[in-house]
C-alpha cells in the first residue's frame, strides 16, 4: 500500500530516509530539507497550470521535480508498452533508467513536502511508443534537455546541500543521456550537440527548457520569476 513516504512501481521501493542515505546525505541535510518544506504555499496555481513560484531554492527544486515527473512518466510508459522488437537487454536498460527517474521524482516530492507542485498530467500523444526510433528519439530529447536544465540552473541554487543533491542527480542523468545517444548512434555518447569545444556539457535556461517540457504536458508549467510564462 502506497504511503506519502514510500512508493513501489515495477520493483522500485525506496523510502525517503533510504534515498537520503543513497544520495549520501546525513541527518543534518535531511533536517535542512524538512525545514525548507515547512514554508507553505511557495508554488502558485495558475489557470490551466502551475508556476514554480518566487525565486529561490524551493522554486528550483520544483523546477527539477517537474522535469523528473515528466521523465519518470515517459519511462514508465516505455516499459508498460514496449516497442516492437525490444530485446531483453534493452528492456533491462530502460527498466534501470525508469527506476532511477522514479527515485528522483519521489525524492523531490518528499523533500519539498507541502511546497511541492501537484502531480502533472503528461501528454505523450506525439510519441509512437510502438517504434524503437520514436522512443529513442524522445528519450534522447528528454535526457539531453534534463542534463542541460540541471547545468543551467545549478548556479541559482544557494544552499550547498541542495547543490550536492543536484550534482549527484545530474551525474546519473548524464549517464542516461550517454547511453541513449549511443543506442541511437554508436560512439555518440559525447557528441558535439551536447558537449562544447571546451569539453563541457552545454546548458539551458529555465526559459529555454520549460517550453520543451510543456510540449509533453497537459498541466503547463510556468516560471514567471525566471522570465517564462506558459
Amino acid at each position: 500500500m502506497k504511503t506519502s513516504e514510500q512508493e513501489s512501481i515495477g520493483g522500485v521501493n525506496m523510502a525517503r530516509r533510504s534515498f537520503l542515505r543513497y544520495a549520501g546525505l546525513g541527518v543534518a541535510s535531511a533536517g535542512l530539507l524538512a525545514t525548507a518544506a515547512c514554508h507553505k504555499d511557495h508554488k502558485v496555481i495558475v489557470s490551466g497550470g502551475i508556476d514554480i513560484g518566487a525565486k529561490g531554492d524551493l522554486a528550483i527544486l520544483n523546477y527539477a521535480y517537474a522535469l523528473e515527473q515528466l521523465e519518470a512518466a515517459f519511462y514508465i510508459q516505455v516499459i508498460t508498452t514496449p516497442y516492437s522488437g525490444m530485446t531483453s537487454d534493452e528492456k533491462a536498460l530502460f527498466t534501470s533508467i525508469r527506476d532511477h527517474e522514479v527515485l528522483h521524482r519521489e525524492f523531490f516530492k518528499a523533500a519539498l513536502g507541502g511546497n511541492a507542485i501537484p502531480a502533472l498530467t503528461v501528454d505523450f500523444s506525439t510519441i509512437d511508443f510502438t517504434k524503437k526510433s520514436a522512443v529513442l528519439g524522445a528519450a534522447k530529447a528528454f535526457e539531453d534537455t534534463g542534463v542541460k536544465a540541471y547545468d543551467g540552473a545549478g548556479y541559482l541554487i544557494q544552499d550547498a546541500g541542495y547543490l550536492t543533491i543536484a550534482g549527484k542527480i545530474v551525474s546519473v542523468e548524464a549517464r542516461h543521456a550517454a547511453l541513449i545517444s549511443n543506442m541511437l548512434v554508436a560512439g555518440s555518447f559525447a557528441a558535439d550537440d551536447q558537449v562544447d569545444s571546451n569539453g563541457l556539457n552545454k546548458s539551458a535556461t529555465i526559459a529555454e527548457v520549460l517550453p520543451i517540457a510543456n510540449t509533453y504536458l497537459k498541466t503547463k508549467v510556468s516560471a514567471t520569476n525566471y522570465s517564462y510564462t506558459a
Side-chain angles (χ1 to χ4, degrees):
M1 181 176 181
K2 184 174 68 176
T3 71
S4 61
E5 291 291 312
Q6 191 174 39
E7 179 166 336
S8 179
I9 296 181
V12 179
N13 194 349
M14 178 72 78
R16 179 188 180 196
R17 186 176 302 173
S18 297
F19 189 86
L20 289 170
R21 288 199 298 269
Y22 164 82
L25 300 175
V27 175
S29 294
L32 178 149
L33 293 171
T35 299
C38 290
H39 300 285
K40 301 296 182 182
D41 302 323
H42 181 81
K43 78 281 188 187
V44 180
I45 305 294
V46 295
S47 177
I50 190 79
D51 194 292
I52 62 174
K55 286 187 176 182
D57 286 354
L58 290 174
I60 302 306
L61 293 183
N62 265 316
Y63 170 55
Y65 178 40
L67 298 179
E68 296 295 351
Q69 285 192 56
L70 180 59
E71 289 186 283
F74 172 73
Y75 287 108
I76 289 170
Q77 188 64 47
V78 170
I79 295 301
T80 301
T81 56
Y83 53 74
S84 177
M86 181 182 288
T87 67
S88 58
D89 286 344
E90 289 171 342
K91 185 174 183 179
L93 291 171
F94 281 121
T95 299
S96 292
I97 296 175
R98 177 205 62 188
D99 292 352
H100 294 159
E101 302 297 359
V102 170
L103 287 171
H104 296 167
R105 182 197 68 193
E106 290 305 297
F107 170 72
F108 281 114
K109 179 181 179 180
L112 283 158
N115 286 296
I117 60 174
L120 304 176
T121 302
V122 298
D123 178 5
F124 295 140
S125 59
T126 60
I127 302 173
D128 186 350
F129 284 92
T130 68
K131 294 182 179 179
K132 179 177 181 178
S133 59
V135 169
L136 288 178
K140 177 173 168 56
F142 285 134
E143 295 296 348
D144 288 349
T145 301
V147 175
K148 289 192 289 187
Y150 275 97
D151 287 347
Y155 80 98
L156 296 168
I157 299 175
Q158 300 173 19
D159 185 271
Y162 295 153
L163 190 58
T164 297
I165 297 167
K168 292 189 175 187
I169 290 177
V170 73
S171 298
V172 176
E173 298 290 354
R175 291 174 187 267
H176 296 168
L179 172 63
I180 296 298
S181 184
N182 216 49
M183 288 175 71
L184 278 165
V185 180
S188 66
F189 56 88
D192 58 11
D193 65 327
Q194 296 303 313
V195 180
D196 67 20
S197 59
N198 295 311
L200 302 176
N201 203 89
K202 295 180 181 180
S203 63
T205 66
I206 294 174
E208 291 171 331
V209 169
L210 284 181
I212 299 172
N214 279 330
T215 302
Y216 303 99
L217 289 170
K218 290 182 179 179
T219 311
K220 304 304 182 184
V221 179
S222 294
T224 305
N225 290 297
Y226 294 94
S227 304
Y228 174 71
T229 302

